[in-house]
Amino acid sequence: MRSAARNLLPLSSTSSTGATSSTSTTVPPECDPGTPGACDDGDRCTVDSCAGAVGCRHDPLGYDAIAASLAPSLDLQACSGQRIPPAIGRLMKQARKLVGRAAHARRPKRAKDLVRRALGELSTAVRTVQRAGRRRLSPDCAGALAAIVGDARAETACLLRPALASPALTAPTGRE
């Protein structure tokens, strides 16, 4: 997650030379909640939102958001009339289950291991899409599938970032 400090505008600052200290007061810039992308920080691992006068928020993606990205419909217009390898859907489903288990893991190390396994499933899905694109899927269909699986893999990798390993996101809530 990127620092919110770069989004702050100086309101005033005072400083002096010598042994005295300097201070500054900053407030977050206002954003317009109706403007799409007004708070986009370019980091795919954050959910960007506008809180009006409070300013932009950049919250890290959590397990629920990642699990949702692993549950897309593979019934794509670009793939109409083509047989998508069923392994792709199975691999995505298995990755979703692993992320769900990681969300409820009691130990952060166990959660990390489960996320790594999910990434392995998604890497296999990426290779399966690539093979299918060379053999039987149209380039448009293979590209659309690759985008879905690739995005899901990139977002799942966000769970391994240090900012997401905080106790708040890996709190023991389940069986693992």
Side-chain angles (χ1 to χ4, degrees), residues 23-24 48 56 75 91 95 118 136 142 162 167 174:
T23 62
S24 70
D48 306 318
C56 295
D75 185 23
L91 290 163
R136 64 176 169 240

Side-chain angles (χ1 to χ4, degrees), residues 2 17 24-25 30-31 40 50 68 88 99 103 105 112 122 133 137 167:
R2 294 185 180 173
T17 58
S24 70
T25 306
E30 288 189 31
C31 56
D40 186 8
C50 176
I88 297 168
V99 168
K112 258 187 182 178
L122 293 168
L137 296 178

Side-chain angles (χ1 to χ4, degrees), residues 12-33:
S12 66
S13 77
T14 58
S15 67
S16 61
T17 58
T20 59
S21 63
S22 66
T23 62
S24 70
T25 306
T26 57
V27 295
E30 288 189 31
C31 56
D32 181 7

Side-chain angles (χ1 to χ4, degrees), residues 61-71 96 99-100 103-104 159 169:
L61 283 175
Y63 288 99
D64 291 340
I66 301 298
S69 76
L70 293 170
R96 185 174 59 248
V99 168
H104 299 291
L159 293 173
L169 293 174

Side-chain angles (χ1 to χ4, degrees), residues 71-151:
S73 169
L74 297 180
D75 185 23
L76 305 170
Q77 185 176 355
C79 299
S80 179
Q82 299 178 60
R83 184 176 175 273
I84 297 172
I88 297 168
R90 283 194 306 268
L91 290 163
M92 297 273 295
K93 184 177 180 179
Q94 182 61 26
R96 185 174 59 248
K97 285 181 184 179
L98 290 165
V99 168
R101 287 174 56 196
H104 299 291
R106 291 184 184 162
R107 296 182 336 265
K109 182 182 181 327
R110 175 71 173 148
K112 258 187 182 178
D113 290 343
L114 290 165
V115 169
R116 285 189 182 110
R117 285 180 50 197
L119 287 171
E121 297 291 322
L122 293 168
S123 293
T124 301
V126 167
R127 289 190 300 275
T128 303
V129 169
Q130 290 170 341
R131 275 193 309 274
R134 289 191 299 265
R135 295 181 184 159
R136 64 176 169 240
L137 296 178
S138 70
D140 290 341
C141 178
L145 285 171
I148 288 172
V149 176
D151 286 347

